[in-house]
Amino acid sequence: QKLTNVGLILGPDGNKMSKSKGNVINPNDVVAEYGADTLRLYEMNMAAFTDPAPWNTEAIVGVRRFLDKAYATFEKSDRYASDDMKAMKLLHKTVKKISEDIVEYKFNTAISSLMILLNEGLPQDREFQEEWKEKFAILLHPFAPHMAEELWNLIGKSGSIYNATWPEYDDFMLVDDEVTIAVQIGGKLRGTFTFLNGVAQEEVSEVVRADEGIAKWLEGK
């Protein structure tokens, strides 16, 4: 289908932009060079739905690379995360965030979440991989439907991804195993420490006070 430019918009300097002046972006040109999914994804990722944003053709390349990376991940399955459980927890957190962001028209943050999820990598466990790929493809579908359909076929799914059920998340997968605690002394940040979730205050105090970098700030106090 042909994409058309409708109406006039104002450029950064306040001047009118129009086809007759030759200073507007023709979406058909972008589609011809980068694909319809790239254009669609870029427009939703460039700013919040209600905010204006300047067009940046160079930024389109970054979006295209994301789609290429997604395809390569499904095709080769060699982009592994350092920790399977961390990757799966991020998957469930992403399902929750994107589900909420779509309702609130926060498409740009939803897409950013997908990019972060992809960068984390695949879990190595085969069953986890299947769940990860299936949910990732469905989450991508509202933003890049053609690519999502390709990914759906790559993992051997029959029928169209359009008819797939929206994924659900497990509440227990949203809880982090570790927490980062910031240490302030005299109102200034002196360090951060990582503990297992649910650690007792006494244990935190003992570990922190034994740290050489913290101890020097406590001398004589």
Side-chain angles (χ1 to χ4, degrees), residues 89-170:
K89 284 192 172 187
L90 182 58
L91 172 64
H92 283 256
K93 291 176 183 178
T94 304
V95 171
K96 181 177 186 295
K97 178 161 180 56
I98 292 180
S99 299
E100 295 170 348
D101 282 352
I102 288 177
V103 173
E104 298 175 4
Y105 291 87
K106 296 180 179 179
F107 305 132
N108 58 324
T109 56
I111 294 169
S112 295
S113 297
L114 270 177
M115 292 179 174
I116 293 172
L117 178 62
L118 184 63
N119 286 336
E120 180 67 27
L122 282 168
Q124 296 192 44
D125 180 85
R126 289 296 179 184
E127 291 186 10
F128 284 163
Q129 270 192 36
E130 291 179 7
E131 179 184 350
W132 191 100
K133 288 182 176 181
E134 180 176 329
K135 288 183 175 179
F136 182 93
I138 298 174
L139 292 173
L140 180 65
H141 182 250
F143 311 105
H146 303 93
M147 175 63 74
E149 196 75 59
E150 289 285 338
L151 300 182
W152 195 247
N153 291 331
L154 276 178
I155 59 177
K157 296 292 184 179
S158 59
S160 173
I161 193 173
Y162 179 81
N163 297 315
T165 302
W166 188 255
E168 298 181 351
Y169 60 87
D170 294 324

Side-chain angles (χ1 to χ4, degrees), residues 47-79:
F49 185 72
T50 56
D51 296 338
W55 184 271
N56 183 359
T57 303
E58 294 181 0
I60 297 177
V61 177
V63 175
R64 177 59 193 230
R65 286 174 180 165
F66 163 70
L67 292 175
D68 289 342
K69 184 176 181 179
Y71 189 88
T73 299
F74 274 63
E75 185 181 37
K76 299 178 182 178
S77 297
D78 59 356
R79 301 175 182 270

Side-chain angles (χ1 to χ4, degrees), residues 1-12:
Q1 292 181 345
K2 285 283 187 179
L3 299 173
T4 58
N5 299 316
V6 180
L8 300 175
I9 60 176
L10 294 179

